[in-house]
């Protein structure tokens, strides 16, 4: 049985090198380092736990957090998501065989940008009754970018039977949960039903975050540790 700590795929980079035999530049791949998959799983969980601890203990941060909620904004949520969920996307990309460092960095930055656009959405629309949806639109474009990269890797696979079933389960589960976050934001700004209260939407964010991270972590551990 393989332990998750032993799952360390090699991260590579590609560059042009001169081939003396054919007398031309050719694309060359070089291994940079082993990806500490198990450690990265624990890191996104730690980041989430740290931010929740940070805003919950009595302090100036807690006061700033509560004042923000009264003004329909939570900056800590978006910064935490920009880090933790971006690591989660990188892990999913790695599970689908994306080992190129530049591509993984792109996946991370696209997902992080999506969340920072979410922060911009809240900042730009504070105290307004007519909302500017451009940050939401731009964020959605950035967010789907990472999934397009994963999809390209998937359809490029010559034999999908070689991809473990748990990888598809992880991707499908996280994709569904992934899309519930923008839906929650839309309901919040449209003030549909219970979402008229900003704090209700905030509670939904917390629940979605907890479920997504916990479920992804358990699916990864269960999948990687299977015989």
């Amino acid at each position: 049985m393989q332990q998750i700590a032993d799952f360390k795929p090699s991260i590579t980079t590609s560059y042009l090198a001169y081939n003396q035999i054919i007398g031309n530049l050719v694309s060359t791949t070089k291994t940079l380092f082993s990806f500490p998959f198990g450690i990265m799983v624990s890191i996104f969980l730690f980041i989430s736990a740290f931010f929740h601890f940070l805003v919950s203990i009595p302090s100036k941060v807690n006061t700033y957090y509560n004042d923000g909620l009264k003004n329909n904004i939570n900056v800590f949520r978006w910064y935490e998501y920009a880090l933790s969920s971006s690591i989660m996307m990188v892990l999913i990309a790695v599970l689908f065989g994306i080992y190129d460092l530049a591509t993984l960095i792109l996946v991370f930055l696209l997902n992080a940008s999506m969340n920072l656009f979410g922060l911009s959405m809240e900042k730009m629309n504070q105290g307004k009754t007519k909302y500017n949806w451009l940050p939401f639109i731009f964020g959605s474009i950035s967010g789907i970018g990472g999934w397009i990269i994963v999809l390209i890797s998937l359809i490029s696979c010559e034999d999908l039977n070689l991809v473990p079933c748990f990888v598809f389960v992880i991707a499908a589960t996280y994709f569904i949960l992934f899309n519930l976050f923008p839906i929650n934001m839309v309901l919040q700004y449209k003030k549909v039903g219970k979402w008229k209260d900003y704090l209700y939407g905030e509670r939904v964010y917390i629940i979605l975050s907890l479920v997504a991270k916990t479920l992804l972590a358990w699916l990864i551990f269960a999948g990687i540790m299977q015989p």
Side-chain angles (χ1 to χ4, degrees), residues 20-176:
Q20 294 183 344
I21 297 177
I22 63 175
N24 203 352
L25 290 172
V26 296
S27 180
T28 304
T29 300
K30 179 175 69 173
T31 298
L32 296 176
F33 57 88
S34 295
F35 187 80
F37 201 92
I39 293 176
M40 296 306 294
V41 172
S42 63
I43 284 178
F44 80 71
L45 293 173
F46 173 78
I47 290 174
S48 182
F50 171 76
F51 271 87
H52 281 85
F53 174 77
L54 189 65
V55 301
S56 62
I57 59 173
S59 64
K60 291 183 178 180
V61 174
N62 176 259
T63 301
Y64 183 77
Y65 167 73
N66 288 317
D67 289 342
L69 293 180
K70 294 175 183 177
N71 293 304
N72 297 348
I73 187 171
N74 179 5
V75 299
F76 299 99
R77 179 206 311 130
W78 300 113
Y79 288 134
E80 186 255 304
Y81 287 178
L83 293 173
S84 62
S85 71
S86 299
I87 293 176
M88 293 164 73
M89 273 302 301
V90 168
L91 293 176
I92 290 175
V94 170
L95 285 175
F96 274 96
I98 299 174
Y99 299 155
D100 177 66
L101 179 62
T103 305
L104 293 176
I105 291 175
L106 180 60
V107 168
F108 183 94
L109 292 179
L110 281 171
N111 195 81
S113 297
M114 174 192 67
N115 288 287
L116 295 178
F117 274 121
L119 173 59
S120 297
M121 177 74 178
E122 289 196 337
K123 280 184 172 291
M124 289 178 61
N125 293 296
Q126 276 187 287
K128 295 182 179 179
T129 54
K130 187 176 181 180
Y131 304 122
N132 185 339
W133 287 91
L134 280 179
F136 180 86
I137 296 171
F138 294 154
S140 298
I141 295 172
S142 297
I144 202 64
W147 288 102
I148 291 174
I149 293 173
V150 171
L151 180 61
I152 290 174
S153 177
L154 175 61
I155 62 179
S156 299
C157 182
E158 295 182 356
D159 189 355
L160 292 179
N161 291 325
L162 297 176
V163 181
C165 291
F166 82 91
V167 173
F168 291 104
V169 173
I170 288 173
T173 301
Y174 187 59
F175 182 76
I176 293 171

Side-chain angles (χ1 to χ4, degrees), residues 188-218:
Q188 210 173 31
Y189 277 91
K190 292 292 185 179
K191 300 186 183 301
V192 177
K194 294 181 179 180
W195 279 269
K196 290 180 180 180
D197 181 3
Y198 178 85
L199 293 181
Y200 181 81
E202 177 66 16
R203 285 191 289 271
V204 174
Y205 275 126
I206 293 173
I207 294 171
L208 286 175
S209 179
L210 175 63
V211 172
K213 293 178 175 67
T214 303
L215 192 56
L216 181 62
W218 277 111

